[in-house]
Amino acid sequence: FGSSVGIARAGAFFANSTTLVRTRVFAGMAEMKERRMITEAELAKHSKEDDAWICLHDLIIALPKDFLEEHPGGPDVITCLAGKDATTDFEDIAHSDSARDWSSKYIIGYKEGAEEEAKTKLVPKNAELSKRGGGLGPLLPTILVAVIAVIAYFIFGKK
């Protein structure tokens, strides 16, 4: 097998009115998961360690016991976010692409009001997120110069 065997994204297809998604291919075996729209109220009901769901990038992820036990940070760091949108917390940790693939295996649905792509997308890889940009990245140098100018004014301007 070697390096040619890995996780590969497969295309999505539609059958009847239910969205079926071929989420991953493991050594030639396709794993099929049915996705459905999930409301915030329904998400909130799954907030216990033995029944934990989280929302990442508009995707609802059901976290089974084995996932929680194997999580490198331990189950507590996830279960405290169960029943909620954990996207910001997930991204603040800067999870690896491997962790993103692992999370994508447990997608069961998409958040109500999510864009159409949520019906078939996976937890985005780091490269996908960096392409989107956003945040303070482009403004940071300007803000830094402004802060330095204000500090310099107060230090040197009071003489």
Side-chain angles (χ1 to χ4, degrees), residues 5-116:
V5 174
I7 298 171
R9 292 184 184 212
F13 64 93
F14 298 91
N16 298 329
S17 61
T18 304
T19 304
L20 295 176
V21 182
R22 184 171 291 160
T23 55
R24 297 279 187 240
V25 176
F26 293 98
M29 283 284 282
E31 182 180 316
M32 300 301 293
K33 296 205 178 191
E34 185 176 329
R35 290 190 188 177
R36 64 184 179 87
M37 187 271 302
I38 297 172
T39 65
E40 285 189 43
E42 185 178 0
L43 173 63
K45 292 177 185 176
H46 300 273
S47 59
K48 300 176 193 86
E49 187 170 337
D50 63 339
D51 181 24
W53 291 6
I54 60 172
C55 179
L56 294 179
H57 296 280
D58 291 338
L59 300 169
I60 307 301
I61 299 172
L63 304 174
K65 186 177 180 179
D66 65 317
F67 179 95
L68 296 172
E69 290 173 353
E70 293 177 30
H71 186 267
D76 294 342
V77 298
I78 301 174
T79 54
C80 70
L81 298 168
K84 302 174 188 166
D85 189 325
T87 303
T88 301
D89 296 276
F90 183 83
E91 294 306 336
D92 284 349
I93 302 296
H95 282 86
S96 67
D97 284 342
S98 168
R100 293 164 189 282
D101 286 336
W102 192 31
S103 298
S104 288
K105 291 186 338 182
Y106 300 103
I107 297 170
I108 60 167
Y110 52 92
K111 187 168 87 173
E112 179 180 37
E115 294 183 17
E116 187 71 20

